[in-house]
């Protein structure tokens, strides 16, 4: 009995399937009819219906098929007659267009997102590691809590910046090369007050030959109190007598200006910083020589290495104004050094940044409350002095007593008042 509709039979057409087919075409190459399981009423067929003997509608339930541990997607795909590798736009993230061979479509949005996330993570880790590395190098040796009878704190931040003639870590050859001599101990070679406030930075040089009174103080090592006797001496003698704490106490007593932070750097550290950034370009208006410092500079623009830079800031015998002229050169050089160091070429270049930081931090001495944030603020305030945002000046001088320079008391009071109130400085110095 022929159960195929419309007179079809199992041997009638090229679409034979099952055993006994006489077709030369292999069975696997012929598409199987689509079978829709359990189609309900109204289902619109697109293939000829099955013969009654094969139809599940004859009352015999189709036994449930076991997945045998395979994913349902494979079962569903097989039973709908899908041929693997065929079809378009399956929504599976693959592009089967001509010549693509079924390769995954690039997902540029995700790639960019994860690249940015990775870069941010690397930068964050590097920044944190650099912070702790640099913070660990700071030598917090100065205890300003030992300074007694301090002036009231004003607006803004005041840094006492000291360049010492410390020869720490220098070999005999280094001392000869840098013309530092071999004196024991250390003294102050330069002293400055840097005020950082809302009206821009102000850099004030304190000549080391300034006439000052040594006040009552507590010894930094002994803890013993030494009463003031009205004794006058040069400012750099205060440092030689009892170090940074007495120097700070003496500056505060004679100026009535509160010092917030103390920063000191020696000869070796200064020269190493200059070499680490590849030198500092200076415009020297007039040629000068000084046998004591080793200075020998022609006029004009030139790049100074560490040795030359140290000679430049130490020279005073070549100038008529001696120490006053030297402090002007020191201000000019330090501000230029800060300006040329805080550039993208240094900050974003680890091969320059880390040697520069290491060279400075290895010999830098600061107070116990100084952090990297405060040190960075000081550095950029110094840079602002040459950027037109601030002012540099010498302490106003009214005369001298022998070899000591006497400060102008009236101008000093006005200057300190303007600094304490964080006002624009209008006082002029020498």
């Amino acid at each position: 009995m022929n159960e195929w509709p419309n007179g079809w039979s199992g041997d009638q057409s090229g679409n034979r399937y099952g055993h006994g087919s006489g077709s030369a075409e292999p069975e696997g190459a012929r598409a199987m009819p689509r079978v829709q399981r359990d189609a309900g009423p109204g289902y619109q067929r697109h293939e000829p219906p099955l013969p009654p003997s094969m139809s599940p509608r004859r009352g015999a339930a189709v036994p449930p098929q076991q997945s045998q541990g395979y994913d349902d997607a494979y079962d569903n795909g097989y039973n709908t007659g899908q041929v693997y590798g065929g079809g378009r736009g399956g929504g599976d993230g693959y592009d089967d267009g001509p010549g693509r061979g079924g390769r995954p479509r690039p997902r540029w949005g995700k790639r960019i997102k994860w690249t940015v996330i990775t870069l941010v993570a690397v930068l964050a880790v590097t920044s944190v590691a650099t912070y702790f590395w640099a913070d660990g190098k700071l030598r917090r040796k100065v205890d300003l809590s030992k300074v007694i009878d301090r002036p009231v704190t004003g607006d803004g931040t005041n840094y006492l910046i000291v360049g010492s003639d410390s020869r720490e870590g220098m070999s005999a050859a280094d001392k000869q090369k840098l013309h530092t001599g071999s004196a024991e101990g250390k003294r102050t070679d330069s002293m400055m007050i840097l005020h950082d406030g809302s009206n821009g930075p102000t850099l004030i040089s304190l000549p080391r030959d300034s006439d000052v009174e040594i006040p009552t103080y507590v010894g930094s090592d002994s803890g013993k109190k030494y009463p003031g006797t009205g004794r006058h001496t040069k400012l750099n003698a205060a440092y030689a007598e009892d170090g940074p704490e007495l120097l700070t106490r003496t500056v505060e007593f004679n100026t009535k200006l509160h010092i917030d932070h103390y920063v000191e750097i020696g000869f070796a550290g200064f020269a190493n910083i200059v070499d680490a950034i590849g030198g500092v370009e200076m415009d020297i208006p007039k040629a000068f020589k000084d046998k004591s410092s080793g200075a020998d500079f022609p006029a004009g623009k030139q790049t100074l290495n560490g040795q030359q830079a140290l000679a430049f800031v130490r020279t005073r015998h070549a100038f008529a104004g001696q120490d006053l002229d030297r402090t002007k050169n020191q201000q000019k050089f330090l501000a230029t050094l800060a300006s040329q160091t805080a550039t993208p070429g240094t900050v974003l270049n680890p091969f320059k940044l880390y040697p520069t930081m290491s060279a400075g931090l290895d010999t830098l001495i600061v107070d116990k409350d100084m952090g990297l944030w405060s040190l960075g603020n000081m550095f950029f305030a110094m840079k602002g002095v040459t950027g037109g945002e601030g002012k540099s000046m010498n302490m106003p001088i009214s005369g001298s007593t022998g070899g000591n320079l006497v400060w102008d008391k009236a101008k000093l009071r006005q200057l300190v008042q303007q600094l304490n109130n964080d006002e624009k400085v209008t006082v002029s110095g020498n």
Side-chain angles (χ1 to χ4, degrees):
M1 176 177 179
N2 188 353
E3 294 182 342
W4 289 90
N6 300 322
W8 289 14
S9 68
D11 57 355
Q12 253 183 331
S13 77
N15 290 332
R16 297 187 182 102
Y17 58 90
H19 0 263
S21 171
S23 171
E25 185 181 5
E27 289 184 13
R30 298 191 298 274
M32 296 180 66
R34 294 182 58 118
V35 179
Q36 176 65 37
R37 294 204 217 141
D38 233 4
Y43 173 75
Q44 300 298 319
R45 296 178 182 272
H46 297 283
E47 299 87 12
L50 293 175
S53 61
M54 299 180 64
S55 174
R57 294 293 182 182
R58 297 191 63 165
V62 178
Q65 297 184 13
Q66 302 297 321
S67 66
Q68 301 295 331
Y70 294 98
D71 187 89
D72 289 344
Y74 291 93
D75 188 352
N76 293 340
Y78 177 82
N79 282 285
T80 53
Q82 293 180 357
V83 179
Y84 297 111
R88 288 177 173 268
D92 54 359
Y94 287 81
D95 187 353
D96 294 327
R100 296 299 298 268
R103 289 183 297 175
R105 182 185 297 117
R107 300 182 179 181
W108 293 108
K110 285 188 176 181
R111 291 184 184 182
I112 293 172
K113 180 183 77 172
W114 284 108
T115 300
V116 171
I117 290 174
T118 301
L119 288 175
V120 170
V122 169
L123 288 174
V125 171
T126 303
S127 299
V128 171
T130 300
Y131 177 89
F132 283 105
W133 169 79
D135 189 71
K137 277 184 166 289
L138 278 179
R139 303 166 69 187
R140 298 180 174 92
K141 291 186 174 183
V142 181
D143 190 356
L144 295 183
S145 67
K146 295 180 180 179
V147 180
I148 62 172
D149 301 332
R150 309 191 68 184
V152 296
T153 303
D155 294 331
T157 305
N158 298 317
Y159 302 87
L160 179 58
I161 303 172
V162 175
S164 76
D165 64 0
S166 172
R167 296 156 180 85
E168 181 181 4
M170 296 175 64
S171 64
D174 291 334
K175 294 175 184 177
Q176 183 177 4
K177 175 184 175 182
L178 298 176
H179 296 267
T180 64
S182 299
E184 296 297 326
K186 58 181 181 178
R187 289 162 296 278
T188 51
D189 209 57
S190 60
M191 290 160 284
M192 303 177 186
I193 294 174
L194 174 64
H195 174 83
D196 184 21
S198 58
N199 277 292
T202 302
L203 185 62
I204 308 158
S205 286
L206 309 176
R208 69 177 191 172
D209 293 338
S210 296
D211 185 83
V212 294
E213 179 181 341
I214 301 296
T216 299
Y217 69 95
V218 174
S220 57
D221 293 327
S222 66
K224 180 180 176 181
K225 191 171 187 177
Y226 297 91
T229 60
R231 173 169 56 101
H232 280 246
T233 185
K234 292 181 179 181
L235 181 59
N236 65 341
Y239 183 96
E241 186 171 329
D242 198 54
E245 287 85 0
L246 179 55
L247 176 62
T248 303
R249 166 74 175 131
T250 302
V251 169
E252 289 188 341
F253 177 82
N254 286 270
T255 63
K256 304 300 184 289
L257 185 68
H258 182 90
I259 299 298
D260 298 291
H261 292 293
Y262 178 95
V263 181
E264 176 187 326
I265 190 167
F267 283 159
F270 181 83
N272 289 340
I273 290 175
V274 175
D275 286 334
I277 65 170
V280 175
E281 185 179 14
M282 295 290 296
D283 188 1
I284 300 176
K286 186 178 179 181
F288 66 88
K289 292 183 179 182
D290 182 14
K291 185 178 180 180
S292 297
S293 66
D296 185 3
F297 298 107
K301 287 186 177 181
Q302 51 206 286
T303 299
L304 309 186
N305 61 26
Q307 177 184 350
Q308 294 169 323
L310 190 58
F312 180 82
V313 299
R314 295 185 63 220
T315 297
R316 64 171 178 164
H317 298 300
F319 308 123
Q322 294 281 311
D323 206 32
L324 291 177
D325 286 340
R326 178 172 73 164
T327 55
K328 292 176 182 178
N329 279 343
Q330 289 172 347
Q331 289 178 348
K332 181 179 179 180
F333 183 87
L334 290 178
T336 304
L337 172 64
S339 179
Q340 294 182 18
T341 302
T343 61
T346 299
V347 176
L348 300 180
N349 184 352
F351 298 102
K352 270 194 174 184
L353 176 64
Y354 286 100
T356 302
M357 292 179 67
S358 183
L361 296 173
D362 280 344
T363 57
L364 201 66
I365 296 174
V366 299
D367 65 90
K368 292 187 175 181
D369 293 327
M370 172 72 88
L372 286 178
W373 183 261
S374 297
L375 191 63
N377 286 340
M378 183 201 79
F379 185 79
F380 282 99
M382 183 75 76
K383 178 184 177 182
V385 172
T386 55
E389 304 168 10
K391 177 177 183 176
S392 61
M393 58 182 289
N394 274 327
M395 179 64 75
I397 303 296
S398 62
S400 64
T401 58
N404 295 0
L405 298 174
V406 179
W407 294 348
D408 188 316
K409 303 296 182 183
K411 285 187 175 182
L412 175 59
R413 283 194 298 270
Q414 184 182 0
L415 173 63
V416 171
Q417 180 181 1
Q418 291 175 343
L419 295 177
N420 277 332
N421 295 333
D422 205 11
E423 300 171 352
K424 187 174 179 63
V425 173
T426 59
V427 178
S428 60
N430 296 74

